Structure formats: C-alpha cells, structure tokens
Amino acid sequence: YRSRFSSSNIEILPEVKHALSENKPVVALESTILSHGLPYPENKQLSHDLSRIIRSRGAVPATIAVKDGICKVGLSEDDLEDLLVSGVEGRARKCSTRDLPFILAQHQKSTSQGSSAEFINTEEKRQWGATTVASTMRLAHYAGITTFVTGGTGGCHRGSEITMDISADLIELSRTPVVVVSAGIKSILDIDKTLETLETYGVPTASYQTKEFPAFFSPSSGTPSPVRLDSPDEVARAFHASLDLGLSSGMLIAVPNDDPAGGAVETAIQESLEEAEKLGIQGRDVTPFILKRVSERTGGDSLRSNIALVKRNAEVGADIAVSIAQLKKKLDNNGIKFFNKDSELDMNEDEIPSGTSSKVVVMGGAVVDIVAKSKESIIKNTSNPGSCFESDGGVGRNIAEVLGQLGAKPVLCTAIGNDTRGKAMRQRMESDYDIPSDRQHINVVESSNTATYLAILNCDGELALAIADMGVLDEIPIPEESIISESDYLVIDANPPVEKLSKVVQQAKNFGTKVVYDPTSVPKARLLKENMDFLSCISFAFPNVDELMVMTENECMYTKSDLFKDDFNNLKNLTSEVLGNMHPEQAHLIVTMGPKGVFLASKKNKNSSKNEFEFKYFPAKDGVQIRNSTGAGDTMVGVFVKCLLDGKSIFEGIEKGMDAAVQSLNYDKGAIPKFFQHRI
C-alpha cells in the first residue's frame, strides 16, 4: 500500500508550482546545509548565490524544508530568512526521511491539543525541520521535481563493517527516482565501500566529465568511476532510460570540485584520519574529530572550498534539469511518457494557469540589459565601487515572456549571438516561458554578440552613460507565412530592419492577422512614420507620448504639456491624424502617458468611407511605487494581447494591462516579474 501526500501535508511555493505545472525545470535544494552547515550570514550569501546560478541557467530553485509540520517545497523570502537563523537559535533540527512522520504527527497532535504539557518540550520549540539529502529527495519526488543539488552525499563511515553506520542517503537513492548532483561521497567516509553499497542497491552512479570518482573536496580519489557522463543531455537520456525500465532508484552524478583549495583540504583530511587512528578514536567519534582538525589545519579553506563546490554543482544540476525538461517535452510531443505520474503531487486545476488555443507570433529584439550603479558620485578615468545587475530584455522578448508566463505559447522571431549570454537566454526562453528556441525562429548568428545594453548610473540613479551593441538585431528573421496565416496576432517592435517589418506586416494584412506594433523609441517611430504602406497594416499601436508626437506630419505642432489640456483636445487631434494612416478597417492607438495613465483612440464605423474616431481615458492608479520602469510598457502589451486572445474587450485588456504594468514598476529584479500574482 502506498498513498500520496495530501495537500494538507505539503505546500509548494506558487512560483515552483507554476513551473511544475508547465513542465519547466526545477532544482531542489536541501535546507540542512543552510541551517546547520554554514554560519550566518555566509549561509544567506550562499542561498542567494545558488538561486542566482540556477535561474541564470534557465531553472527555478526550490529549497525544501519542514516548518510547523508542513513540508515546504520552495520558500518565501521571509521563510528563507527565518530558516537561515533558526539553526543558531536552536529552532531547527536535522530531519532525515525517518523523522518526517514524527515531526508531522507531533505538530498535528500539539495543534489539536493546544498547550498540553506533554508537548511543551524542547522539540516543540523547534519550528524547522532541516531536510537532509534523503528527506529532500523524498519530498522533491512527491512534488514532481526530478533534479536535486547538494554538496556531498552520505555513505559508509569508516569501520562501518563493524558499526553498521551507513547513511540513509544510500537507501533513499535506491528507492526514489531523483537525479542527485553532488561532489561525490564526503571524503571523511569510506568511498570504496560506499560505491560497493550503491552497486548492491542498484543505484546508477556516474562521474561528470571525469573517469575518476571525485572525493568531495578533491577531484581525485584514486577510485575509478563506474560510469563517465560528459553532458547534461547524456544524464537526461540515462535518467529517462532508467524510468523507462521501471527502475525505482535515483541516479547519483558526482561532479569534481575544481576549487584550488580542495587538494589542500583533502590532504588535511587524510592527516586527520591518521591522527585519529593513532589516538585510538573510533566509531561515531571519528567524524566530529576529523571535522574539527581539518578546520584547524586549513584555516577556513575547507569552508570556502565547500561553498565553491556547491556552486559548481548548482551549475551542472541546473543544466541537467533543463535537459530533462527539454527531453520530456520532445518525448511528450511524440506521445512518449516520461514521468511516473503516480509519484507526483496532484495540483488543483484552478491553480494551474490556463493556456489558449489561439496563436500569436512576436517579432522583435532580444537584449541582455546590464545596469551598473555607482555607490558615490562617479569619478572619471578610474574604477568606481558600486553594484551591477544583469537581466534579459528587449521589447519583443519581454512581450513574448509575458505571453509565455500567461500560457499563450508564443512563437518569438529574434536574433542572438552564438555566445554564452545568447545560449543562456535561449535556454531560459524555452524552459521558463515555453517559447520555442529552434533556429528557424531564433537566429543564432555565429559572428555576432548577443544584443547588449550597458547602462551606467550615478549614485542618484540618473543615467551617466549607456552603450548599446545592437548589430545582431539586423538578422532577426521573418516568420514563415504558414505561421503568420495561422496566427490571430502578429506583435512587432521596431528593432528589425524597416524592409523586413514592411514585408511581414503586409503578409499579416493579406492573411487577416492583426498586427500589434510597439514603436520602441523616438528615432524608430520617426523612421517608420514615413512608410504609409507599413502604417496601413497596423491594427494596434502602443506609442508613448514622445513617440506619438514624431509619428505625425508636423511633430512640432504641440508641446507635451499642450496634449493634456482642454480635455485632451490636442491629443485627440494627433491620434486622429495617426489613426487615419493605420489599418482601414480596424485601428486603435493606446497611448501610454506615464503617471497620467493611458489614452485610447479608435477608429469608428469601420465599414464607412469616412473616418470617425472615439476616445477613452484610463487614469493611472495613485500611490504606485516605482522601482524599475524598463518593462512596464512591454508587460502591458503582453497582457493586453493575451486578453484579446481570450476574447476579452479592448477596454478590459487595457485595464488588466495597466494592473500588470504596476506590478512591473514595483519589480526590481529585471524588466518582467518572474511570476504574476495578477491573473487575467
């Protein structure tokens, strides 16, 4: 008999739940290394670094722990901060698989009996169960996560043939189908005996890009590896083959530690082992003795090397998770089953974002945004202390990301360089937002850099200097006619060359596909206004006020402040002029006005030979906190298009787009929020 976890026992962070429901890559992380393995604030820095590394490779991190009797898969920022200090404060206990039922049952009974004296003890005060390798594997599997990253796995202790001191990690590996990425067996253990035990238990075990099995701190143990695998795709194929055979075991992937200090730490371990033997230290006393002596001998190098190897494991583990997700998607498309669904946690249908049967294609720029901000006033001709942040951007890519987050499954036509940034961006687009990354749509240009925008800000946040490397965007491909003809909407920005834009919008008009246009910048809006054939194909345009002014015949007719006077009469005149040049049957201008809101101008009586227009003003909400304005307009366009795909009105699309833009304005980790709390 085997039952699933009920929803009352396990809680999945919304971002993680969304990723799992969309079959996107998720990487599980244990919590013991954070609560007990490192002091504060080193554990906080490691947690942030691991999250950054995993996200940069295209996966979603999910730290697993037990809090107040609830198994949590993925932690909120507040929960994570509390976990990080819980070990020092004595509010966390290590929790292996065997401990899970006791911790859950104890909390349930203490909750039902209130303050019964039977449960007022030291254990009850501990709010956290910090999961070990074994329990993290089990909970990750129940949630449907296939990849788990840790530092090192447990194994057979030295002298275990007498003491029977063998880690529960090995048992869990034999019965729980999760890929465990580690630096091998902890080197204070008996590596040879551990590998023999894994063989006995039938656990597929391999080293990554080396023939020698790693020794945790050192890439060399002197023991040959059972198998060598050289790429994430090889691991993904082997894992699928294991599941396809009906094997219930996990898979251990050992990654060599390339930190230079690792060799010195390993030497200190061997010296400490010899010292323990001379002193007659045996059994359970060996491990704490060795750890203490190694720390003394290495002067902190063991801690630094431990952190380095966990980060390296996170890189490899995230790549493996992405490869598994991509292989699963490929097999699903061919009607081949990948996951054992009986092992996954049920998800409520109303909690999973719904997709759409309509189609949308986006043609535009994909750009890496790098923002550097000085801590003090910038001093020229020297280095300045400050902070740097990198994120994915580009108008077309941003809009496609929003559509992808909302389940619209967009096709994105763009161009990137064949460099590290381009490869990572391409991987994230497919794994995070279900945007196809085949070269038919995303042109990988061998001789170019991925488009990059570098902004240097003064300490007050004002732009001091910016450099834009956008040459690769000239290579943005035109979507195939078959895709345009089957799509309801074509969304374009002004980054591709004018001749390509003119061609693609004409094709869309011929097929009856509505074109949504984002002018992108004032110079590009001015360039395209002179192409009347281009404008006549546009059904929806999203200029800001500055872009609108240069889209008219006499762009100096009004000042910006003039447009907001007298019930927007001057703004109505400008929008009417532009509308007259747009699509003859259906045309709408959605003018974004920053803190003043949005102004909609639409053609009326589409079957009439005479142009008539109607207007509607949407005021902005008060008290909006602005942390980052780079993606608000793109967010609004994406949500607006998704509303139209879902059959909602233009008015509703604007209102919901504005709501989503507010979230973007309040998001300071990039252009687009990574998980919309706002649902359309």
Side-chain angles (χ1 to χ4, degrees):
Y1 170 78
R2 181 183 179 189
S3 70
R4 295 182 181 180
F5 258 23
S6 70
S7 59
S8 62
N9 290 328
I10 189 166
E11 181 180 291
I12 303 180
L13 193 71
E15 180 191 16
V16 176
K17 180 178 288 188
H18 174 70
L20 292 171
S21 71
E22 295 290 319
N23 292 323
K24 294 173 181 176
V26 177
V27 175
L29 299 168
E30 64 165 290
S31 44
T32 291
I33 192 174
L34 299 178
S35 63
H36 293 79
L38 295 171
Y40 188 91
E42 284 86 349
N43 57 357
K44 182 175 183 177
Q45 185 61 53
L46 177 61
S47 175
H48 289 173
D49 288 346
L50 294 179
S51 177
R52 174 185 53 79
I53 289 168
I54 291 169
R55 292 185 190 280
S56 72
R57 316 291 276 212
V60 174
T63 300
I64 294 178
V66 182
K67 183 184 181 185
D68 295 334
I70 301 297
C71 300
K72 290 179 171 282
V73 179
L75 300 179
S76 67
E77 290 186 9
D78 289 343
D79 275 348
L80 180 60
E81 182 67 26
D82 190 50
L83 170 69
L84 293 171
V85 299
S86 64
V88 177
E89 296 175 354
R91 295 185 293 107
R93 58 173 291 186
K94 290 185 180 180
C95 175
S96 189
T97 307
R98 71 170 188 174
D99 303 308
L100 288 173
F102 299 116
I103 290 178
L104 268 62
Q106 182 181 25
H107 177 77
Q108 290 167 359
K109 188 171 182 180
S110 63
T111 300
S112 64
Q113 294 188 0
S115 58
S116 171
E118 180 183 356
F119 289 93
I120 302 300
N121 53 39
T122 303
E123 293 298 318
E124 190 184 29
K125 295 176 183 177
R126 288 174 170 163
Q127 299 174 4
W128 287 98
T131 55
T132 62
V133 169
S135 54
T136 303
M137 282 185 69
R138 177 56 62 96
L139 295 176
H141 175 57
Y142 269 115
I145 300 173
T146 61
T147 309
F148 162 40
V149 164
T150 184
T153 49
C156 300
H157 286 252
R158 297 173 189 268
S160 59
E161 69 276 14
I162 298 173
T163 64
M164 297 302 294
D165 191 356
I166 300 173
S167 171
D169 298 352
L170 306 188
I171 300 293
E172 204 62 53
L173 274 163
S174 72
R175 66 189 180 189
T176 304
V178 171
V179 177
V180 178
V181 181
S182 76
I185 310 303
K186 295 172 183 175
S187 50
I188 58 174
L189 306 176
D190 192 320
I191 293 176
D192 290 336
K193 282 192 181 70
T194 301
L195 289 175
E196 288 290 345
T197 304
L198 287 169
E199 180 185 2
T200 301
Y201 288 158
V203 177
T205 304
S207 57
Y208 191 75
Q209 298 178 348
T210 179
K211 293 181 179 179
E212 192 172 355
F213 198 82
F216 192 66
F217 284 114
S218 171
S220 254
S221 67
T223 301
S225 177
V227 175
R228 170 176 173 158
L229 297 176
D230 287 317
S231 71
D233 289 344
E234 287 186 16
V235 177
R237 288 194 295 268
F239 184 56
H240 168 251
S242 177
L243 295 180
D244 199 39
L245 289 169
L247 303 183
S248 60
S249 59
M251 180 175 290
L252 178 60
I253 304 298
V255 180
N257 177 19
D258 55 8
D259 181 66
V265 176
E266 183 60 29
T267 299
I269 290 173
Q270 298 305 320
E271 292 173 351
S272 300
L273 284 168
E274 293 175 4
E275 183 180 358
E277 186 175 353
K278 289 178 182 178
L279 294 174
I281 298 173
Q282 298 178 344
R284 297 175 182 270
D285 297 328
V286 173
T287 297
F289 173 80
I290 293 173
L291 292 175
K292 180 174 182 294
R293 295 296 289 127
V294 167
S295 179
E296 293 170 351
R297 280 188 163 105
T298 61
D301 279 349
S302 59
L303 176 61
R304 288 190 291 273
S305 186
N306 198 345
I307 291 173
L309 67 86
V310 176
K311 291 180 181 179
R312 171 61 178 154
N313 294 345
E315 292 175 351
V316 175
D319 291 345
I320 290 171
V322 169
S323 289
I324 290 174
Q326 291 174 343
L327 178 60
K328 181 189 182 300
K329 182 177 180 180
K330 180 179 179 181
L331 294 173
D332 285 348
N333 290 339
N334 293 328
I336 301 173
K337 182 179 178 182
F338 187 93
F339 291 104
N340 175 11
K341 290 294 183 183
D342 288 338
S343 68
E344 294 182 12
L345 189 70
D346 283 332
M347 300 214 180
N348 296 330
E349 293 297 326
D350 59 350
E351 294 178 326
I352 300 175
S354 59
T356 175
S357 59
S358 300
K359 296 180 180 179
V360 56
V361 58
V362 181
M363 180 181 175
V367 180
V368 175
D369 292 330
I370 303 175
V371 178
K373 183 178 180 181
S374 176
K375 286 186 177 179
E376 301 174 355
S377 295
I378 291 178
I379 303 174
K380 295 182 179 180
N381 304 319
T382 187
S383 60
N384 290 261
S387 59
C388 298
F389 183 78
E390 179 176 319
S391 63
D392 295 341
V395 174
R397 194 217 64 87
N398 287 347
I399 294 170
E401 177 181 330
V402 173
L403 288 165
Q405 284 203 53
L406 297 174
K409 302 185 183 301
V411 171
L412 172 64
C413 291
T414 191
I416 59 175
N418 189 26
D419 52 13
T420 302
R421 287 195 173 101
K423 291 175 182 177
M425 178 189 288
R426 183 180 172 198
Q427 197 173 63
R428 286 190 293 273
M429 285 192 288
E430 178 152 6
S431 61
D432 286 3
Y433 315 116
D434 205 16
I435 300 172
S437 64
D438 56 278
R439 291 199 176 202
Q440 187 176 12
H441 303 116
I442 299 181
N443 185 17
V444 181
V445 183
E446 299 293 336
S447 58
S448 295
N449 299 324
T450 296
T452 304
Y453 176 78
L454 171 63
I456 299 176
L457 309 182
N458 214 323
C459 56
D460 57 4
E462 292 295 322
L463 181 67
L465 175 68
I467 296 176
D469 179 5
M470 302 290 171
V472 73
L473 300 184
D474 288 341
E475 306 302 322
I476 294 175
I478 294 177
E480 309 95 289
E481 289 190 6
S482 59
I483 292 180
I484 298 174
S485 65
E486 294 173 358
S487 298
D488 294 329
Y489 292 90
L490 167 67
V491 183
I492 59 171
D493 68 21
N495 281 304
V498 174
E499 59 272 16
K500 289 186 178 181
L501 289 173
S502 299
K503 181 178 179 179
V504 74
V505 297
Q506 188 61 59
Q507 289 176 347
K509 183 178 180 181
N510 293 341
F511 288 122
T513 301
K514 298 179 181 65
V515 179
V516 180
Y517 168 53
D518 189 315
T520 309
S521 69
V522 169
K524 292 175 180 178
R526 180 182 286 117
L527 185 64
L528 284 168
K529 81 166 184 183
E530 300 170 0
N531 190 329
M532 292 300 171
D533 290 338
F534 170 82
L535 287 175
S536 68
C537 299
I538 306 301
S539 295
F540 299 90
F542 281 80
N544 60 31
V545 173
D546 293 316
E547 292 161 352
L548 174 70
M549 292 175 71
V550 303
M551 291 172 69
T552 59
E553 189 68 29
N554 186 358
E555 57 187 73
C556 300
M557 184 181 300
Y558 304 111
T559 64
K560 187 185 293 188
S561 60
D562 289 338
L563 300 181
F564 308 126
K565 299 175 181 177
D566 303 324
D567 194 30
F568 300 109
N569 280 334
N570 294 329
L571 184 57
K572 292 175 182 177
N573 292 334
L574 285 187
T575 53
S576 298
E577 179 184 337
V578 177
L579 282 171
N581 297 323
M582 291 174 62
H583 197 288
E585 296 182 3
Q586 183 183 34
H588 305 274
L589 272 173
I590 299 96
V591 184
T592 55
M593 304 185 296
K596 293 187 179 297
V598 171
F599 186 81
L600 170 67
S602 303
K603 272 190 180 178
K604 193 177 177 182
N605 300 328
K606 66 179 183 179
N607 295 322
S608 171
S609 59
K610 181 182 177 181
N611 281 332
E612 296 183 24
F613 309 104
E614 55 187 358
F615 309 95
K616 183 172 176 60
Y617 171 56
F618 298 81
K621 292 185 177 180
D622 295 329
V624 176
Q625 185 176 5
I626 301 177
R627 297 181 178 178
N628 176 24
S629 61
T630 57
D634 304 336
T635 299
M636 179 178 176
V637 175
V639 171
F640 175 84
V641 173
K642 181 60 167 63
C643 285
L644 297 187
L645 287 168
D646 289 343
K648 294 181 171 65
S649 70
I650 292 173
F651 290 174
E652 189 172 0
I654 291 175
E655 290 169 349
K656 291 189 177 297
M658 292 175 69
D659 289 343
V662 169
Q663 290 190 53
S664 180
L665 289 168
N666 196 33
Y667 183 73
D668 59 0
K669 299 292 191 298
I672 306 298
K674 293 303 176 193
F675 186 78
F676 283 108
Q677 296 178 3
H678 176 77
R679 281 284 174 255
I680 68 172

